[in-house]
Amino acid sequence: MTSARFPLACFFVALGIAVASLTSVAHAAPSGTLVFCSEGSPAGFDPGQHTTSTDFDASTNAVYNELVQFKRGTLDLEPALATSWDVSADQRTVTFHLRRGVKFQTTAYFKPTRDFNADDVLFTFNRMLHTDDPFRKAYPVSFPYFSDLGFDKNIDSIDKTDDYTVRFHLKEPDVIFVRNIAMNFASILSAEYASKLSETHREADINQYPVGTGPFTFRSYQKDALIRYDANPDYWRPADVGLAHLVFAITPDPAARIQKLASGECQVSVFPRPADLDVVKRNPSLTLVSGVGFNVGFVAYNTQHKPLDQIAVRRALDMAIDKPAIIQAVFSGNATVATNPMPPAQWSYDKALKDAPFDPSKAKALLAQAGFPNGFDLTLWAMPVQRPYNPNAQLMAQLIQQDWAKIGVHAKIVSYEWGEYNRRAKQGGEHDAILYGWSGDNGDPDNWLGTLLGCDAVHGSNVSKWCDPGFNGLIEKARATSDVQERTRLYEQAQVIFKQQVPYTPVAHSIVSLPESKRVKGLVFSPLGSHRFDGVTLN
């Protein structure tokens, strides 16, 4: 089995993450109902169509499996629906050997007649690869992560050599292909279920009524209220299913989430406000798992909008933001000031780079030199929900608004419901400046530089809409070499270009906390910002 050859062994030492100790789950009948106070409604349940942890927690982490997955609480790869994989010497052919005897879930709306096999892998990826795929033609939809990674351009073809062997053929070498396949968007769907939906012209149901091979079976969803799951009795790793029922209690208000946790209405709560941490620590029935987040929160500039297409204007806006003040006011000190477009724990992070000094006077002078002595007006979008990289985007937007007003830039704060916010930011590009952020998906530098700043992602996660040929060329070269030192050199050069051109201002790397009831056993803090309930029990 070929695995990534990157220096991840020391990752958690550098990251400083406190990982809860794993509790082995006896192979016994699942019992109990765990209620998870989540922060928002998912945009849907087909992981290929979405990009946020809100969506992936509700879909991938409960219902589905990938071919390859990350071990809980780590960035180490392990087999999942593929038992092993081989990568050719030229890094252009990847062969997956599939697990036998895996069953798709039986639900109220679908009963499978066969086990998982290669046809399901072909369906999952070909519908994303080919715009003329019958299912995609019947149900027009975009697959943002697939295109952000350049898979739509680099995957030449996918074929099966038998029912349990699938081969991906790439046009160019990609040394992180397997790590990317382990990401949530690549969850495997049922080709048989899709065919049944097509027979009755209900293709869109695949995004509302999921069927997978994962530890929990979807039962029902009430938007902005509840998602209900039951233990999957046919899960191929039965010892990992310790809960009879899993409920997502969708609770956008962080104060309400903490109240529900304290009263026992939920047993795990997501994204607490810094001010709530002491409340949790003082409650003898609760515990707190915290760690330095593998994330970055930032304000991005839409480089396709004037005057933000000018580097001098972006530098002025960057220099006018008082980052330390934001760290104290928004994060209550539970974060570090961000300089680079990736966290310091990410290998290839360039420690030599320095931030431009906070200097409103110089920023105002830069604007004058760029032709805006009296400033200008713009929109500043602020997300409506708490994220691991930003516990209070509305407050952060107000602070930035005040900072920019001092140099004559007048920002109008705009917000939308979280799903709509994402859709408009990625597809529409209506914003001038936008608060956004990222939690690492796979432990590779490309996840920060390629996915967020590459040219392939301009119509997706690259909300700066910035496409620099020099920067992009470095990222593409790095994807094609397995030499870690060479990749590091290329990524360091890319970071220099980023600092020179300022497509976005990195603001903070937050400390992430996960409050939970002491009844919960086996829940592991994830560096990927996700919440998985396989291997979890209640006592």
Side-chain angles (χ1 to χ4, degrees), residues 298-521:
F298 55 82
V299 53
Y301 309 114
N302 190 334
T303 58
Q304 295 182 3
H305 285 193
K306 294 183 180 298
L308 301 173
D309 58 337
Q310 297 185 44
I311 295 176
V313 171
R314 300 198 298 268
R315 286 179 178 170
L317 295 174
D318 176 80
M319 293 179 67
I321 297 175
D322 189 348
K323 294 183 186 180
I326 289 175
I327 298 296
Q328 289 305 313
V330 176
F331 297 87
S332 297
N334 291 293
T336 58
V337 169
T339 299
N340 293 8
M342 60 174 69
Q346 175 65 69
W347 65 269
S348 81
Y349 180 91
D350 190 345
K351 297 179 181 178
L353 290 178
K354 304 298 180 185
D355 252 350
F358 170 59
D359 192 336
S361 296
K362 187 172 181 180
K364 191 170 179 63
L366 273 176
L367 282 185
Q369 293 171 18
F372 300 93
N374 300 315
F376 56 90
D377 297 339
L378 54 66
T379 58
L380 172 60
W381 287 26
M383 63 200 78
V385 295
Q386 293 73 41
R387 304 301 298 153
Y389 46 76
N390 192 335
N392 192 336
Q394 297 295 318
L395 177 57
M396 185 182 290
Q398 292 167 15
L399 294 173
I400 292 174
Q401 181 187 53
Q402 294 169 16
D403 287 341
W404 285 348
K406 295 173 184 176
I407 63 171
V409 174
H410 304 288
K412 177 185 177 182
I413 298 174
V414 176
S415 191
Y416 295 95
E417 181 271 331
W418 180 226
E420 185 70 4
Y421 187 94
N422 267 298
R423 186 189 69 79
R424 287 173 177 259
K426 294 174 180 179
Q427 298 178 16
E430 306 162 44
H431 58 278
D432 294 323
I434 184 170
L435 291 181
Y436 215 72
W438 200 253
S439 294
D441 284 311
N442 64 9
D444 194 271
D446 183 83
N447 191 235
W448 309 94
L449 302 179
T451 306
L452 292 182
L453 294 162
C455 294
D456 286 332
V458 162
H459 299 293
S461 297
N462 182 347
V463 294
S464 298
K465 311 303 177 186
W466 178 69
C467 176
D468 180 80
F471 178 95
N472 206 67
L474 293 168
I475 301 306
E476 291 180 344
K477 287 181 182 177
R479 285 176 181 165
T481 178
S482 58
D483 184 277
V484 173
Q485 290 186 337
E486 176 63 10
R487 292 189 76 206
T488 297
R489 185 183 68 83
L490 293 168
Y491 288 136
E492 288 177 345
Q493 291 178 21
Q495 289 170 77
V496 170
I497 294 174
F498 169 87
K499 291 301 286 185
Q500 290 171 344
Q501 296 210 15
V502 201
Y504 72 69
T505 295
V507 177
H509 305 298
S510 71
I511 295 173
V512 179
S513 298
L514 185 63
E516 63 183 27
S517 165
K518 289 184 177 178
R519 295 180 55 213
V520 178
K521 304 299 178 184

Side-chain angles (χ1 to χ4, degrees), residues 235-356:
Y235 191 45
W236 54 275
R237 293 176 69 168
D240 282 354
V241 186
L243 300 168
H245 308 286
L246 175 64
V247 177
F248 280 33
I250 300 167
T251 313
D253 183 352
R257 290 199 297 269
I258 292 298
Q259 290 172 1
K260 288 183 177 182
L261 184 68
S263 68
E265 292 181 61
C266 63
Q267 289 74 50
V268 181
S269 179
V270 73
F271 309 143
R273 298 172 302 181
D276 292 327
L277 299 182
D278 284 341
V279 175
V280 175
K281 292 175 182 177
R282 291 195 303 266
N283 190 320
S285 66
L286 304 179
T287 187
L288 196 65
V289 181
S290 299
V292 178
F294 195 47
N295 60 44
V296 60
F298 55 82
V299 53
Y301 309 114
N302 190 334
T303 58
Q304 295 182 3
H305 285 193
K306 294 183 180 298
L308 301 173
D309 58 337
Q310 297 185 44
I311 295 176
V313 171
R314 300 198 298 268
R315 286 179 178 170
L317 295 174
D318 176 80
M319 293 179 67
I321 297 175
D322 189 348
K323 294 183 186 180
I326 289 175
I327 298 296
Q328 289 305 313
V330 176
F331 297 87
S332 297
N334 291 293
T336 58
V337 169
T339 299
N340 293 8
M342 60 174 69
Q346 175 65 69
W347 65 269
S348 81
Y349 180 91
D350 190 345
K351 297 179 181 178
L353 290 178
K354 304 298 180 185
D355 252 350

